[in-house]
Short mmCIF file of all heavy atoms in Angstrom, two decimals:
data_model
loop_
_atom_site.label_atom_id
_atom_site.label_comp_id
_atom_site.label_asym_id
_atom_site.label_seq_id
_atom_site.Cartn_x
_atom_site.Cartn_y
_atom_site.Cartn_z
N MET A 14 -68.06 -2.73 50.06
CA MET A 14 -68.84 -2.22 51.18
C MET A 14 -70.00 -3.18 51.43
O MET A 14 -70.65 -3.66 50.53
CB MET A 14 -69.34 -0.81 50.79
CG MET A 14 -69.95 -0.02 51.88
SD MET A 14 -71.68 -0.31 52.16
CE MET A 14 -72.43 0.84 51.01
N SER A 15 -70.25 -3.46 52.71
CA SER A 15 -71.42 -4.27 53.02
C SER A 15 -72.04 -3.80 54.36
O SER A 15 -71.36 -3.24 55.19
CB SER A 15 -71.06 -5.76 53.10
OG SER A 15 -70.18 -5.97 54.17
N ILE A 16 -73.34 -4.03 54.46
CA ILE A 16 -74.09 -3.62 55.64
C ILE A 16 -74.71 -4.90 56.23
O ILE A 16 -75.27 -5.70 55.50
CB ILE A 16 -75.24 -2.66 55.26
CG1 ILE A 16 -74.77 -1.47 54.44
CG2 ILE A 16 -76.02 -2.20 56.51
CD1 ILE A 16 -73.91 -0.49 55.13
N ARG A 17 -74.60 -5.00 57.54
CA ARG A 17 -75.27 -6.12 58.20
C ARG A 17 -75.93 -5.64 59.50
O ARG A 17 -75.62 -4.52 59.98
CB ARG A 17 -74.28 -7.26 58.51
CG ARG A 17 -73.18 -6.85 59.48
CD ARG A 17 -72.48 -8.07 60.07
NE ARG A 17 -71.33 -7.70 60.89
CZ ARG A 17 -71.37 -7.28 62.15
NH1 ARG A 17 -72.53 -7.10 62.73
NH2 ARG A 17 -70.27 -7.02 62.81
N LEU A 18 -76.78 -6.48 60.06
CA LEU A 18 -77.38 -6.16 61.33
C LEU A 18 -76.39 -6.42 62.47
O LEU A 18 -75.46 -7.25 62.31
CB LEU A 18 -78.65 -7.03 61.57
CG LEU A 18 -79.84 -6.67 60.72
CD1 LEU A 18 -80.89 -7.78 60.91
CD2 LEU A 18 -80.45 -5.32 61.10
N ASN A 19 -76.62 -5.82 63.59
CA ASN A 19 -75.80 -6.10 64.78
C ASN A 19 -75.87 -7.60 65.06
O ASN A 19 -76.93 -8.23 64.90
CB ASN A 19 -76.40 -5.32 65.99
CG ASN A 19 -75.49 -5.35 67.18
OD1 ASN A 19 -74.97 -6.36 67.58
ND2 ASN A 19 -75.32 -4.18 67.78
N GLU A 20 -74.74 -8.17 65.48
CA GLU A 20 -74.68 -9.60 65.73
C GLU A 20 -75.47 -10.00 66.99
O GLU A 20 -75.74 -11.19 67.20
CB GLU A 20 -73.22 -10.06 65.82
CG GLU A 20 -72.38 -9.46 66.95
CD GLU A 20 -71.94 -8.01 66.72
OE1 GLU A 20 -72.17 -7.48 65.59
OE2 GLU A 20 -71.42 -7.39 67.64
N ASP A 21 -75.80 -9.01 67.80
CA ASP A 21 -76.55 -9.28 69.03
C ASP A 21 -78.07 -9.19 68.72
O ASP A 21 -78.59 -8.09 68.54
CB ASP A 21 -76.13 -8.28 70.09
CG ASP A 21 -76.74 -8.55 71.47
OD1 ASP A 21 -77.85 -9.15 71.52
OD2 ASP A 21 -76.11 -8.15 72.48
N ALA A 22 -78.75 -10.28 68.72
CA ALA A 22 -80.15 -10.35 68.36
C ALA A 22 -81.02 -9.55 69.31
O ALA A 22 -82.05 -9.00 68.92
CB ALA A 22 -80.65 -11.81 68.36
N GLU A 23 -80.59 -9.41 70.57
CA GLU A 23 -81.35 -8.63 71.53
C GLU A 23 -81.31 -7.14 71.22
O GLU A 23 -82.31 -6.43 71.34
CB GLU A 23 -80.82 -8.93 72.95
CG GLU A 23 -81.59 -8.30 74.10
CD GLU A 23 -83.07 -8.72 74.20
OE1 GLU A 23 -83.50 -9.64 73.51
OE2 GLU A 23 -83.79 -8.07 74.98
N VAL A 24 -80.16 -6.67 70.78
CA VAL A 24 -80.02 -5.25 70.36
C VAL A 24 -80.92 -5.02 69.18
O VAL A 24 -81.70 -4.05 69.16
CB VAL A 24 -78.55 -4.91 70.04
CG1 VAL A 24 -78.44 -3.52 69.38
CG2 VAL A 24 -77.66 -4.99 71.26
N VAL A 25 -80.91 -5.89 68.21
CA VAL A 25 -81.73 -5.77 67.01
C VAL A 25 -83.22 -5.76 67.41
O VAL A 25 -83.98 -4.87 66.96
CB VAL A 25 -81.47 -6.93 66.02
CG1 VAL A 25 -82.45 -6.89 64.86
CG2 VAL A 25 -80.04 -6.83 65.49
N ARG A 26 -83.60 -6.60 68.30
CA ARG A 26 -85.01 -6.66 68.75
C ARG A 26 -85.41 -5.35 69.40
O ARG A 26 -86.47 -4.75 69.11
CB ARG A 26 -85.22 -7.83 69.75
CG ARG A 26 -86.66 -8.16 70.04
CD ARG A 26 -86.79 -9.19 71.13
NE ARG A 26 -86.33 -8.72 72.42
CZ ARG A 26 -87.00 -7.86 73.21
NH1 ARG A 26 -88.15 -7.42 72.85
NH2 ARG A 26 -86.48 -7.50 74.38
N LEU A 27 -84.55 -4.85 70.32
CA LEU A 27 -84.90 -3.61 71.04
C LEU A 27 -84.96 -2.40 70.14
O LEU A 27 -85.87 -1.58 70.25
CB LEU A 27 -83.85 -3.35 72.13
CG LEU A 27 -83.94 -4.26 73.37
CD1 LEU A 27 -82.73 -4.08 74.28
CD2 LEU A 27 -85.20 -3.93 74.16
N ILE A 28 -84.03 -2.29 69.20
CA ILE A 28 -84.02 -1.13 68.31
C ILE A 28 -85.24 -1.21 67.35
O ILE A 28 -85.91 -0.20 67.12
CB ILE A 28 -82.72 -1.03 67.48
CG1 ILE A 28 -81.49 -0.92 68.41
CG2 ILE A 28 -82.76 0.15 66.53
CD1 ILE A 28 -81.44 0.27 69.28
N ARG A 29 -85.53 -2.41 66.86
CA ARG A 29 -86.71 -2.53 65.98
C ARG A 29 -87.99 -2.21 66.72
O ARG A 29 -88.89 -1.61 66.16
CB ARG A 29 -86.76 -3.96 65.43
CG ARG A 29 -85.77 -4.12 64.29
CD ARG A 29 -85.94 -5.41 63.58
NE ARG A 29 -85.20 -5.42 62.30
CZ ARG A 29 -84.81 -6.53 61.68
NH1 ARG A 29 -85.08 -7.72 62.24
NH2 ARG A 29 -84.15 -6.48 60.54
N GLU A 30 -88.06 -2.59 67.97
CA GLU A 30 -89.21 -2.26 68.81
C GLU A 30 -89.33 -0.74 68.95
O GLU A 30 -90.40 -0.15 68.82
CB GLU A 30 -89.01 -2.90 70.19
CG GLU A 30 -90.28 -3.22 70.93
CD GLU A 30 -89.95 -3.96 72.23
OE1 GLU A 30 -89.83 -5.18 72.19
OE2 GLU A 30 -89.75 -3.25 73.27
N GLY A 31 -88.17 -0.09 69.21
CA GLY A 31 -88.13 1.36 69.33
C GLY A 31 -88.54 2.05 68.02
O GLY A 31 -89.27 3.05 68.04
N LEU A 32 -88.07 1.50 66.91
CA LEU A 32 -88.44 2.08 65.62
C LEU A 32 -89.94 1.99 65.37
O LEU A 32 -90.56 2.93 64.88
CB LEU A 32 -87.72 1.33 64.48
CG LEU A 32 -86.27 1.78 64.17
CD1 LEU A 32 -85.57 0.74 63.32
CD2 LEU A 32 -86.26 3.15 63.49
N GLU A 33 -90.52 0.89 65.74
CA GLU A 33 -91.96 0.70 65.57
C GLU A 33 -92.73 1.69 66.41
O GLU A 33 -93.66 2.35 65.94
CB GLU A 33 -92.33 -0.73 65.99
CG GLU A 33 -93.27 -1.38 65.00
CD GLU A 33 -93.35 -2.88 65.24
OE1 GLU A 33 -92.49 -3.60 64.70
OE2 GLU A 33 -94.26 -3.26 65.98
N LYS A 34 -92.30 1.86 67.66
CA LYS A 34 -92.97 2.81 68.58
C LYS A 34 -92.86 4.23 68.08
O LYS A 34 -93.75 5.06 68.35
CB LYS A 34 -92.36 2.72 69.98
CG LYS A 34 -92.86 1.57 70.78
CD LYS A 34 -92.38 1.65 72.21
CE LYS A 34 -92.64 0.34 72.94
NZ LYS A 34 -91.62 0.01 73.91
N LYS A 35 -91.76 4.55 67.39
CA LYS A 35 -91.55 5.93 66.93
C LYS A 35 -91.96 6.12 65.46
O LYS A 35 -91.65 7.14 64.87
CB LYS A 35 -90.12 6.35 67.13
CG LYS A 35 -89.81 6.61 68.63
CD LYS A 35 -88.57 7.42 68.81
CE LYS A 35 -88.76 8.87 68.57
NZ LYS A 35 -87.57 9.64 68.93
N GLY A 36 -92.69 5.18 64.92
CA GLY A 36 -93.18 5.34 63.56
C GLY A 36 -92.09 5.39 62.52
O GLY A 36 -92.27 6.08 61.50
N GLY A 37 -90.98 4.69 62.75
CA GLY A 37 -89.91 4.63 61.75
C GLY A 37 -88.81 5.68 61.98
O GLY A 37 -87.82 5.69 61.26
N TYR A 38 -88.98 6.53 63.01
CA TYR A 38 -87.94 7.52 63.30
C TYR A 38 -86.95 6.89 64.28
O TYR A 38 -87.28 6.02 65.04
CB TYR A 38 -88.53 8.79 63.89
CG TYR A 38 -89.29 9.60 62.92
CD1 TYR A 38 -90.68 9.41 62.75
CD2 TYR A 38 -88.71 10.55 62.14
CE1 TYR A 38 -91.40 10.11 61.83
CE2 TYR A 38 -89.43 11.30 61.20
CZ TYR A 38 -90.79 11.07 61.08
OH TYR A 38 -91.51 11.79 60.16
N CYS A 39 -85.73 7.39 64.20
CA CYS A 39 -84.63 6.84 65.04
C CYS A 39 -85.01 6.79 66.50
O CYS A 39 -85.32 7.83 67.11
CB CYS A 39 -83.36 7.68 64.81
SG CYS A 39 -81.93 6.91 65.53
N PRO A 40 -84.96 5.63 67.13
CA PRO A 40 -85.31 5.52 68.54
C PRO A 40 -84.25 6.11 69.46
O PRO A 40 -84.53 6.32 70.66
CB PRO A 40 -85.47 4.02 68.77
CG PRO A 40 -84.69 3.38 67.69
CD PRO A 40 -84.65 4.33 66.53
N CYS A 41 -83.07 6.38 68.94
CA CYS A 41 -81.97 6.90 69.79
C CYS A 41 -81.94 8.42 69.78
O CYS A 41 -81.02 9.01 70.35
CB CYS A 41 -80.63 6.34 69.31
SG CYS A 41 -80.61 4.56 69.21
N ARG A 42 -82.87 9.03 69.09
CA ARG A 42 -82.90 10.50 69.03
C ARG A 42 -84.24 11.00 69.49
O ARG A 42 -85.27 10.35 69.30
CB ARG A 42 -82.58 10.97 67.60
CG ARG A 42 -81.19 10.64 67.15
CD ARG A 42 -81.05 10.96 65.71
NE ARG A 42 -79.68 11.00 65.29
CZ ARG A 42 -79.14 10.08 64.44
NH1 ARG A 42 -79.85 9.11 64.00
NH2 ARG A 42 -77.90 10.21 64.09
N PHE A 43 -84.19 12.17 70.13
CA PHE A 43 -85.39 12.70 70.74
C PHE A 43 -86.41 13.22 69.73
O PHE A 43 -87.59 12.92 69.83
CB PHE A 43 -84.96 13.82 71.72
CG PHE A 43 -86.10 14.34 72.53
CD1 PHE A 43 -86.73 13.56 73.50
CD2 PHE A 43 -86.56 15.64 72.33
CE1 PHE A 43 -87.79 14.07 74.24
CE2 PHE A 43 -87.65 16.14 73.05
CZ PHE A 43 -88.24 15.35 74.02
N GLU A 44 -85.91 13.98 68.75
CA GLU A 44 -86.81 14.64 67.79
C GLU A 44 -87.20 13.72 66.63
O GLU A 44 -86.44 12.83 66.25
CB GLU A 44 -86.13 15.87 67.18
CG GLU A 44 -85.95 16.97 68.18
CD GLU A 44 -85.12 18.08 67.58
OE1 GLU A 44 -83.88 17.87 67.41
OE2 GLU A 44 -85.68 19.17 67.27
N ARG A 45 -88.42 13.92 66.14
CA ARG A 45 -88.87 13.17 64.94
C ARG A 45 -88.68 14.05 63.71
O ARG A 45 -89.63 14.69 63.25
CB ARG A 45 -90.35 12.79 65.06
CG ARG A 45 -90.58 11.78 66.16
CD ARG A 45 -92.00 11.29 66.15
NE ARG A 45 -92.23 10.49 67.36
CZ ARG A 45 -93.09 9.49 67.43
NH1 ARG A 45 -93.84 9.16 66.40
NH2 ARG A 45 -93.23 8.82 68.57
N LYS A 46 -87.46 14.13 63.24
CA LYS A 46 -87.15 14.93 62.05
C LYS A 46 -87.00 14.01 60.87
O LYS A 46 -86.59 12.86 61.00
CB LYS A 46 -85.83 15.66 62.25
CG LYS A 46 -85.84 16.83 63.18
CD LYS A 46 -84.42 17.38 63.13
CE LYS A 46 -84.18 18.61 63.91
NZ LYS A 46 -82.76 18.95 63.90
N GLU A 47 -87.23 14.58 59.68
CA GLU A 47 -87.12 13.79 58.44
C GLU A 47 -85.76 13.11 58.33
O GLU A 47 -85.65 11.95 57.92
CB GLU A 47 -87.36 14.72 57.25
CG GLU A 47 -87.99 14.04 56.04
CD GLU A 47 -89.17 13.12 56.30
OE1 GLU A 47 -90.05 13.46 57.14
OE2 GLU A 47 -89.18 12.05 55.71
N GLU A 48 -84.72 13.83 58.72
CA GLU A 48 -83.35 13.30 58.62
C GLU A 48 -83.08 12.11 59.59
O GLU A 48 -82.08 11.40 59.45
CB GLU A 48 -82.32 14.40 58.83
CG GLU A 48 -82.28 14.93 60.27
CD GLU A 48 -81.56 16.25 60.42
OE1 GLU A 48 -82.14 17.28 60.12
OE2 GLU A 48 -80.38 16.21 60.80
N TYR A 49 -84.00 11.96 60.54
CA TYR A 49 -83.85 10.88 61.52
C TYR A 49 -84.71 9.66 61.20
O TYR A 49 -84.82 8.76 61.99
CB TYR A 49 -84.22 11.36 62.93
CG TYR A 49 -83.31 12.44 63.49
CD1 TYR A 49 -83.72 13.29 64.50
CD2 TYR A 49 -82.02 12.59 63.01
CE1 TYR A 49 -82.91 14.27 65.00
CE2 TYR A 49 -81.16 13.56 63.51
CZ TYR A 49 -81.63 14.41 64.51
OH TYR A 49 -80.81 15.39 65.03
N LYS A 50 -85.33 9.68 59.99
CA LYS A 50 -86.10 8.51 59.60
C LYS A 50 -85.11 7.41 59.20
O LYS A 50 -84.18 7.63 58.42
CB LYS A 50 -86.99 8.84 58.41
CG LYS A 50 -88.46 8.86 58.85
CD LYS A 50 -89.39 8.82 57.67
CE LYS A 50 -90.78 8.60 58.22
NZ LYS A 50 -91.80 8.87 57.27
N CYS A 51 -85.33 6.19 59.68
CA CYS A 51 -84.42 5.08 59.41
C CYS A 51 -84.52 4.63 57.90
O CYS A 51 -85.64 4.37 57.47
CB CYS A 51 -84.73 3.93 60.34
SG CYS A 51 -83.45 2.66 60.37
N ILE A 52 -83.54 4.56 57.15
CA ILE A 52 -82.12 4.78 57.51
C ILE A 52 -81.81 6.28 57.53
O ILE A 52 -82.02 6.94 56.50
CB ILE A 52 -81.18 4.02 56.55
CG1 ILE A 52 -81.37 2.49 56.74
CG2 ILE A 52 -79.76 4.38 56.73
CD1 ILE A 52 -80.67 1.66 55.70
N CYS A 53 -81.32 6.75 58.65
CA CYS A 53 -81.12 8.21 58.82
C CYS A 53 -80.00 8.78 57.90
O CYS A 53 -79.20 8.02 57.37
CB CYS A 53 -80.73 8.48 60.28
SG CYS A 53 -79.18 7.66 60.78
N GLU A 54 -80.04 10.11 57.79
CA GLU A 54 -79.07 10.78 56.92
C GLU A 54 -77.63 10.52 57.40
O GLU A 54 -76.72 10.39 56.59
CB GLU A 54 -79.34 12.28 56.90
CG GLU A 54 -80.65 12.69 56.23
CD GLU A 54 -80.73 12.24 54.75
OE1 GLU A 54 -79.69 12.25 54.07
OE2 GLU A 54 -81.84 11.85 54.36
N GLU A 55 -77.44 10.49 58.70
CA GLU A 55 -76.09 10.26 59.26
C GLU A 55 -75.50 8.93 58.77
O GLU A 55 -74.37 8.87 58.31
CB GLU A 55 -76.11 10.31 60.77
CG GLU A 55 -74.73 10.15 61.37
CD GLU A 55 -74.75 10.01 62.90
OE1 GLU A 55 -75.42 9.10 63.41
OE2 GLU A 55 -74.08 10.82 63.55
N PHE A 56 -76.33 7.87 58.85
CA PHE A 56 -75.80 6.58 58.44
C PHE A 56 -75.64 6.49 56.93
O PHE A 56 -74.75 5.81 56.43
CB PHE A 56 -76.64 5.42 59.03
CG PHE A 56 -75.94 4.10 58.93
CD1 PHE A 56 -74.66 3.90 59.40
CD2 PHE A 56 -76.58 3.01 58.32
CE1 PHE A 56 -74.01 2.67 59.31
CE2 PHE A 56 -75.96 1.76 58.22
CZ PHE A 56 -74.65 1.63 58.70
N LYS A 57 -76.55 7.15 56.20
CA LYS A 57 -76.42 7.17 54.74
C LYS A 57 -75.07 7.80 54.34
O LYS A 57 -74.37 7.32 53.45
CB LYS A 57 -77.54 8.00 54.10
CG LYS A 57 -78.83 7.19 53.99
CD LYS A 57 -79.91 8.00 53.33
CE LYS A 57 -81.25 7.31 53.44
NZ LYS A 57 -82.39 8.21 53.20
N ALA A 58 -74.70 8.89 55.05
CA ALA A 58 -73.43 9.54 54.78
C ALA A 58 -72.27 8.62 55.18
O ALA A 58 -71.24 8.54 54.44
CB ALA A 58 -73.33 10.84 55.56
N GLN A 59 -72.42 7.89 56.27
CA GLN A 59 -71.36 6.94 56.67
C GLN A 59 -71.21 5.81 55.69
O GLN A 59 -70.13 5.34 55.41
CB GLN A 59 -71.64 6.43 58.11
CG GLN A 59 -71.44 7.51 59.14
CD GLN A 59 -71.95 7.13 60.49
OE1 GLN A 59 -72.95 6.38 60.64
NE2 GLN A 59 -71.34 7.60 61.56
N MET A 60 -72.37 5.39 55.12
CA MET A 60 -72.31 4.28 54.12
C MET A 60 -71.59 4.77 52.85
O MET A 60 -70.86 4.01 52.20
CB MET A 60 -73.72 3.83 53.72
CG MET A 60 -74.39 3.02 54.78
SD MET A 60 -75.90 2.19 54.21
CE MET A 60 -77.03 3.54 54.05
N ALA A 61 -71.75 6.08 52.54
CA ALA A 61 -71.14 6.64 51.36
C ALA A 61 -69.66 6.99 51.59
O ALA A 61 -68.93 7.22 50.61
CB ALA A 61 -71.90 7.86 50.91
N ASP A 62 -69.23 7.01 52.82
CA ASP A 62 -67.85 7.38 53.16
C ASP A 62 -66.92 6.18 53.10
O ASP A 62 -67.04 5.27 53.94
CB ASP A 62 -67.85 8.02 54.55
CG ASP A 62 -66.45 8.40 55.02
OD1 ASP A 62 -65.46 8.18 54.29
OD2 ASP A 62 -66.34 8.89 56.16
N PRO A 63 -66.01 6.10 52.14
CA PRO A 63 -65.16 4.94 51.98
C PRO A 63 -64.25 4.71 53.20
O PRO A 63 -63.79 3.59 53.44
CB PRO A 63 -64.33 5.23 50.76
CG PRO A 63 -64.53 6.65 50.39
CD PRO A 63 -65.74 7.14 51.12
N ALA A 64 -64.06 5.72 54.00
CA ALA A 64 -63.15 5.60 55.18
C ALA A 64 -63.89 5.09 56.42
O ALA A 64 -63.29 4.68 57.38
CB ALA A 64 -62.53 6.94 55.51
N PHE A 65 -65.25 5.10 56.35
CA PHE A 65 -65.99 4.73 57.57
C PHE A 65 -66.24 3.23 57.67
O PHE A 65 -66.63 2.58 56.74
CB PHE A 65 -67.36 5.46 57.61
CG PHE A 65 -68.20 5.05 58.79
CD1 PHE A 65 -68.01 5.65 60.03
CD2 PHE A 65 -69.15 4.03 58.69
CE1 PHE A 65 -68.76 5.26 61.15
CE2 PHE A 65 -69.92 3.63 59.79
CZ PHE A 65 -69.73 4.27 61.02
N GLU A 66 -66.01 2.75 58.88
CA GLU A 66 -66.37 1.37 59.24
C GLU A 66 -66.92 1.38 60.63
O GLU A 66 -66.33 2.00 61.54
CB GLU A 66 -65.14 0.44 59.14
CG GLU A 66 -65.41 -0.93 59.67
CD GLU A 66 -64.76 -2.07 58.85
OE1 GLU A 66 -64.01 -1.80 57.93
OE2 GLU A 66 -65.06 -3.23 59.19
N GLY A 67 -68.08 0.78 60.85
CA GLY A 67 -68.63 0.76 62.23
C GLY A 67 -70.14 0.71 62.25
O GLY A 67 -70.78 0.53 61.25
N TYR A 68 -70.66 0.85 63.47
CA TYR A 68 -72.11 0.82 63.69
C TYR A 68 -72.76 2.16 63.41
O TYR A 68 -72.13 3.21 63.53
CB TYR A 68 -72.40 0.46 65.18
CG TYR A 68 -72.00 -0.93 65.54
CD1 TYR A 68 -70.83 -1.18 66.21
CD2 TYR A 68 -72.82 -2.00 65.28
CE1 TYR A 68 -70.44 -2.48 66.56
CE2 TYR A 68 -72.47 -3.30 65.62
CZ TYR A 68 -71.27 -3.54 66.29
OH TYR A 68 -70.92 -4.81 66.63
N CYS A 69 -74.05 2.10 63.11
CA CYS A 69 -74.82 3.33 63.04
C CYS A 69 -75.03 3.81 64.48
O CYS A 69 -74.74 3.09 65.42
CB CYS A 69 -76.17 3.09 62.32
SG CYS A 69 -77.36 2.08 63.22
N HIS A 70 -75.57 5.00 64.64
CA HIS A 70 -75.74 5.64 65.93
C HIS A 70 -76.46 4.72 66.93
O HIS A 70 -76.06 4.63 68.10
CB HIS A 70 -76.57 6.92 65.68
CG HIS A 70 -76.73 7.78 66.86
ND1 HIS A 70 -75.74 8.67 67.27
CD2 HIS A 70 -77.78 7.93 67.74
CE1 HIS A 70 -76.18 9.30 68.35
NE2 HIS A 70 -77.39 8.88 68.64
N CYS A 71 -77.48 4.02 66.50
CA CYS A 71 -78.27 3.12 67.34
C CYS A 71 -77.64 1.74 67.51
O CYS A 71 -78.14 0.93 68.28
CB CYS A 71 -79.64 2.90 66.79
SG CYS A 71 -80.73 4.30 66.87
N MET A 72 -76.67 1.43 66.68
CA MET A 72 -76.00 0.14 66.66
C MET A 72 -76.91 -0.96 66.07
O MET A 72 -76.68 -2.14 66.34
CB MET A 72 -75.50 -0.27 68.05
CG MET A 72 -74.39 0.64 68.49
SD MET A 72 -73.65 0.19 70.07
CE MET A 72 -72.68 -1.21 69.61
N LEU A 73 -77.88 -0.57 65.26
CA LEU A 73 -78.70 -1.58 64.59
C LEU A 73 -77.91 -2.20 63.42
O LEU A 73 -77.94 -3.41 63.21
CB LEU A 73 -80.01 -0.96 64.06
CG LEU A 73 -80.94 -1.85 63.25
CD1 LEU A 73 -81.40 -3.06 64.07
CD2 LEU A 73 -82.14 -1.06 62.75
N TYR A 74 -77.23 -1.33 62.67
CA TYR A 74 -76.48 -1.74 61.49
C TYR A 74 -74.99 -1.62 61.70
O TYR A 74 -74.51 -0.75 62.45
CB TYR A 74 -76.87 -0.87 60.26
CG TYR A 74 -78.30 -1.03 59.87
CD1 TYR A 74 -79.19 0.02 59.99
CD2 TYR A 74 -78.78 -2.22 59.35
CE1 TYR A 74 -80.52 -0.07 59.60
CE2 TYR A 74 -80.09 -2.36 58.94
CZ TYR A 74 -80.95 -1.26 59.08
OH TYR A 74 -82.25 -1.38 58.70
N TYR A 75 -74.26 -2.45 60.95
CA TYR A 75 -72.81 -2.35 60.95
C TYR A 75 -72.34 -2.29 59.49
O TYR A 75 -72.74 -3.09 58.65
CB TYR A 75 -72.15 -3.56 61.62
CG TYR A 75 -70.67 -3.41 61.73
CD1 TYR A 75 -70.11 -2.79 62.85
CD2 TYR A 75 -69.79 -3.89 60.74
CE1 TYR A 75 -68.73 -2.63 62.96
CE2 TYR A 75 -68.41 -3.72 60.84
CZ TYR A 75 -67.90 -3.09 61.94
OH TYR A 75 -66.54 -2.94 62.06
N LYS A 76 -71.51 -1.29 59.22
CA LYS A 76 -70.96 -1.17 57.86
C LYS A 76 -69.54 -1.62 57.84
O LYS A 76 -68.70 -1.16 58.63
CB LYS A 76 -71.06 0.29 57.38
CG LYS A 76 -70.49 0.44 55.99
CD LYS A 76 -69.84 1.78 55.77
CE LYS A 76 -68.97 1.76 54.54
NZ LYS A 76 -68.23 3.01 54.36
N SER A 77 -69.22 -2.52 56.90
CA SER A 77 -67.84 -2.96 56.68
C SER A 77 -67.35 -2.29 55.41
O SER A 77 -68.13 -2.12 54.48
CB SER A 77 -67.75 -4.47 56.47
OG SER A 77 -68.26 -5.13 57.58
N LYS A 78 -66.08 -1.95 55.39
CA LYS A 78 -65.51 -1.30 54.21
C LYS A 78 -65.45 -2.26 53.00
O LYS A 78 -65.57 -1.83 51.88
CB LYS A 78 -64.10 -0.77 54.49
CG LYS A 78 -64.10 0.52 55.30
CD LYS A 78 -62.72 1.09 55.33
CE LYS A 78 -62.29 1.39 56.74
NZ LYS A 78 -60.90 1.76 56.84
N ASP A 79 -65.30 -3.55 53.30
CA ASP A 79 -65.23 -4.48 52.20
C ASP A 79 -66.32 -5.55 52.25
O ASP A 79 -67.14 -5.59 53.13
CB ASP A 79 -63.88 -5.19 52.14
CG ASP A 79 -63.35 -5.57 53.53
OD1 ASP A 79 -64.14 -6.12 54.29
OD2 ASP A 79 -62.19 -5.32 53.79
S1 SF4 B 280 -79.73 3.78 60.68
FE1 SF4 B 280 -79.34 3.35 62.78
S2 SF4 B 280 -78.98 5.32 63.73
FE2 SF4 B 280 -79.95 5.65 61.77
S3 SF4 B 280 -82.13 5.77 62.22
FE3 SF4 B 280 -81.68 3.67 61.68
S4 SF4 B 280 -81.31 2.67 63.62
FE4 SF4 B 280 -81.13 4.85 64.01
#
């Protein structure tokens, strides 16, 4: 399993800017809940799921199975 940033530097820049504005909470979600603090609970679960491969909700990170 490996995690990398989105290959598009502009996406990374925009999401990081959004994270900064929201104090570390997911910029793609409306509410500032603990579970939405980056790295959010959803992506943590996806990282732990051996069957999952793909981007996190915001597309900042990409998880590969191998
Ligand atoms: S891991 Fe991705 S979806 Fe989750 S909070 Fe961070 S940027 Fe948003």
Side-chain angles (χ1 to χ4, degrees):
M14 192 273 273
S15 64
I16 308 290
R17 64 162 172 81
L18 287 171
N19 191 314
E20 62 285 352
D21 186 332
E23 185 60 9
V24 171
V25 173
R26 192 187 66 76
L27 285 170
I28 301 298
R29 282 189 167 157
E30 207 175 273
L32 276 165
E33 225 166 273
K34 279 190 193 144
K35 287 198 78 174
Y38 290 91
C39 190
C41 307
R42 294 171 165 114
F43 186 69
E44 291 172 290
R45 292 188 190 209
K46 286 182 176 174
E47 211 46 42
E48 68 195 82
Y49 295 157
K50 250 196 171 166
C51 194
I52 292 172
C53 62
E54 293 301 324
E55 182 187 57
F56 194 53
K57 280 181 189 161
Q59 288 169 329
M60 287 192 288
D62 177 359
F65 177 83
E66 171 140 5
Y68 292 100
C69 70
H70 187 80
C71 289
M72 295 183 75
L73 176 60
Y74 296 113
Y75 186 88
K76 181 213 163 184
S77 302
K78 283 191 233 171
D79 40 46

